[in-house]
Amino acid sequence: MNKKEPTPFLATHPGEMIKDELKERGMTQKQLATETGIKPSVLSETINGKRSVSLHVAVALEKALGIPAEVWMNLQTQYDLDTAKIAERDDQRETIAVTIPVRDRNLLRELVRKFGWVCVL
């Protein structure tokens, strides 16, 4: 039985988990950078989701936090897969033409502003 796995609404970057660990342990990014030997800029970019968790970072996190490198690598892989699935899902969304009466155009503009819908007025 082949069930298609659901696509998540958002992908969670492993940096969020690092951030949570720091908070729980009462550590700063600077302390973790010192303890792991990871450049502070690299650690910051990783925590903020701008950089992937590399094997080097995963091994350093394992030594500093006691969380196996495999966990960090699996979190990164899952993030990458979720990101790809989300992109594929979003590419498949269909466009629907909707006619809005003139009196409701302010409502439409508000929807565009809040939800990022694209329309031609």
Side-chain angles (χ1 to χ4, degrees):
M1 195 155 78
N2 247 347
K3 281 189 175 181
K4 186 177 177 183
E5 288 189 38
T7 300
F9 183 71
L10 292 172
T12 302
H13 191 276
E16 290 294 322
M17 309 308 178
I18 299 170
K19 199 181 300 183
D20 290 345
E21 279 298 315
L22 290 176
K23 185 177 179 182
E24 284 298 314
R25 295 168 189 248
M27 286 180 81
T28 65
Q29 285 186 33
K30 186 175 182 178
Q31 289 170 326
L32 184 60
T34 300
E35 198 169 318
T36 59
I38 299 170
K39 285 180 168 180
S41 60
V42 171
L43 185 58
S44 177
E45 289 173 0
T46 303
I47 288 172
N48 290 307
K50 295 177 182 174
R51 181 186 285 260
S52 296
V53 173
S54 67
L55 181 57
H56 168 76
V57 169
V59 170
L61 290 172
E62 177 177 18
K63 288 178 183 174
L65 302 176
I67 299 170
E70 291 84 3
V71 170
W72 297 112
M73 297 306 298
N74 288 339
L75 288 169
Q76 183 63 54
T77 300
Q78 189 62 55
Y79 173 77
D80 294 341
L81 288 169
D82 289 346
T83 300
K85 287 178 186 178
I86 291 167
E88 184 179 330
R89 176 198 63 206
D90 291 350
D91 286 346
Q92 293 175 355
R93 288 196 175 154
E94 63 183 270
T95 302
I96 300 171
V98 178
T99 303
I100 305 290
V102 174
R103 68 181 181 278
D104 293 334
R105 293 213 181 211
N106 286 335
L107 171 63
L108 182 59
R109 283 190 184 102
E110 184 64 16
L111 291 172
V112 169
R113 187 184 68 73
K114 282 189 175 181
F115 300 108
W117 297 355
V118 178
C119 70
V120 178
L121 297 176

